[in-house]
């Protein structure tokens, strides 16, 4: 089985070559548009807080990973206010980063 995907930024070109029984891949398939248009956002929370409001403007509902200033993964309540804003609530105030993708 062989599958090759080449994505070039300019000029916009998607080259797909799939050789596997029963596999059909076309550039107009939605999954390729999602991969090509994928964005991430990193939120810096410099001031310790127990509630973080994150305005990411990704126009989607991304996954969220929170780390404190020591780099430890932190768990809290994540609420999607809308497709561009997330509110994270924690049991105590701290600073750190939120990684959205």
């Amino acid at each position: 089985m062989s599958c090759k995907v080449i994505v070039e930024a300019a000029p916009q070109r998607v080259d797909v070559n799939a050789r596997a029984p029963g596999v059909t891949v076309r550039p107009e398939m939605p999954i390729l548009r999602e991969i090509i248009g994928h964005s991430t956002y990193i939120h810096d929370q410099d001031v310790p807080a127990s509630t973080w409001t994150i305005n990411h403007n990704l126009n989607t509902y991304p996954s969220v990973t929170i780390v404190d200033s020591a780099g430890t993964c932190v768990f809290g309540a994540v609420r999607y206010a809308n497709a561009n804003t997330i509110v994270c609530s924690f049991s105590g105030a701290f600073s750190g980063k939120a990684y959205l993708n």
Side-chain angles (χ1 to χ4, degrees):
M1 174 172 54
S2 171
C3 185
K4 177 181 176 186
V5 177
I6 299 170
V7 179
E8 295 178 0
Q12 290 185 352
R13 177 179 154 220
V14 176
D15 221 357
V16 178
N17 179 7
R19 287 186 215 80
V23 173
T24 303
V25 180
R26 298 186 311 269
E28 65 271 13
M29 293 179 93
I31 190 66
L32 288 177
R33 284 195 303 271
E34 288 180 27
I35 292 169
I36 293 167
H38 182 73
S39 296
T40 60
Y41 178 81
I42 299 173
H43 171 78
D44 288 308
Q45 184 69 37
D46 296 326
V47 177
S50 59
T51 300
W52 298 9
T53 300
I54 303 168
N55 298 305
H56 54 78
N57 295 317
L58 295 174
N59 201 33
T60 188
Y61 299 88
S63 61
V64 180
T65 301
I66 307 287
V67 295
D68 64 15
S69 56
T72 304
C73 191
V74 178
F75 297 93
V78 176
R79 182 176 61 85
Y80 295 91
N82 57 50
N84 292 302
T85 305
I86 295 173
V87 179
C88 300
S89 301
F90 309 98
S91 60
F94 66 96
S95 61
K97 294 183 183 287
Y99 297 94
L100 285 59
N101 58 34

